[in-house]
Amino acid sequence: MSKVLYPGSFDPITKGHMDIIDQSKNLFDEVIIAVLHNPLKKTGMFTLEERTNMISKLYENVDNIKIVMSDKAAVDVAIENGCSAIVRGIRGLSDYSFEVQLCEMNKDISNNRINTVCLFASKEYQFISSSAVKEVLSIGKPIDKYVDPYVAQELYHKRKIQNEK
Ligand code: ADP
């Protein structure tokens, strides 16, 4: 059985991430989405638990998708879950150079056990990122086009709480 790990910050999950998940589940028997802490992205809008719960809710009725949360390295989470590869999404040239470096580093630190499969963002989602969605929300513009309706509701709720503080 082919299993792949899709690691990321998912703060929050967007339609771009969901497109990569759709593409992955057509290629692999099982996709494990790993919500990981990215030390380069200091404070998130949602806690790791909140991000994981949102993704779990979106995929609760999908058999071949599993969600895990971890503070470990992606390669270790992949090995722990029996995955031989990591999947990453590429939106354009800037993602490409970053992902090539990450792929080589992950191969190296896992002693060549974990390779990376890169999938290309579909045209309509190429410009979507979690940070852009948060920025649009922060200026009071609608974000419904970029995320699932359930995630949009959570984002509006979070903004309301933050504004009340
Ligand atoms: P990380 O902090 O690991 O980069 P992200 O949640 O930002 O976590 O992204 C996880 C993965 O999903 C990365 O490979 C990123 O390039 C990819 N990704 C993010 N947004 C999109 C999108 N709109 N289309 C395709 N891939 C995407």
Side-chain angles (χ1 to χ4, degrees):
M1 188 167 109
S2 61
K3 273 198 206 180
V4 75
L5 190 87
Y6 182 33
S9 307
F10 305 108
D11 186 36
I13 186 166
T14 68
K15 284 190 179 172
H17 292 126
M18 293 176 79
D19 169 49
I20 296 296
I21 295 165
D22 273 347
Q23 294 188 45
S24 305
K25 71 179 170 57
N26 293 332
L27 295 169
F28 297 92
D29 297 323
E30 189 173 341
V31 181
I32 301 178
I33 304 168
V35 181
L36 305 181
H37 169 67
N38 183 342
L40 299 177
K41 298 180 180 172
K42 281 199 190 98
T43 50
M45 179 171 217
F46 294 95
T47 64
L48 286 194
E49 284 83 1
E50 287 171 332
R51 299 175 210 175
T52 308
N53 290 341
M54 263 190 272
I55 303 174
S56 301
K57 179 108 182 162
L58 294 180
Y59 294 105
E60 63 188 351
N61 296 318
V62 189
D63 283 344
N64 57 342
I65 294 184
K66 201 175 131 188
I67 297 99
V68 298
M69 182 182 85
S70 179
D71 53 9
K72 294 185 188 160
V75 287
D76 293 334
V77 182
I79 292 167
E80 244 173 47
N81 284 280
C83 302
S84 54
I86 280 175
V87 70
R88 297 284 292 176
I90 304 254
R91 284 161 292 192
L93 278 180
S94 59
D95 277 345
Y96 175 80
S97 41
F98 175 73
E99 296 295 345
V100 169
Q101 199 185 15
L102 193 62
C103 165
E104 289 308 321
M105 187 53 85
N106 279 334
K107 251 192 241 174
D108 203 58
I109 62 175
S110 68
N111 295 318
N112 288 320
R113 287 174 71 185
I114 302 296
N115 210 336
T116 300
V117 174
C118 283
L119 297 173
F120 294 98
S122 300
K123 240 192 354 233
E124 63 267 43
Y125 304 127
Q126 255 169 14
F127 65 97
I128 302 178
S129 67
S130 301
S131 41
V133 170
K134 287 180 280 190
E135 212 172 311
V136 171
L137 182 76
S138 75
I139 53 168
K141 298 285 181 196
I143 42 77
D144 309 72
K145 272 199 293 192
Y146 317 122
V147 295
D148 178 272
Y150 169 64
V151 177
Q153 186 192 310
E154 294 295 303
L155 275 161
Y156 289 127
H157 180 63
K158 190 63 104 177
R159 176 166 154 84
K160 192 164 169 260
I161 295 172
Q162 283 174 348
N163 284 348
E164 280 164 6
K165 273 186 190 159

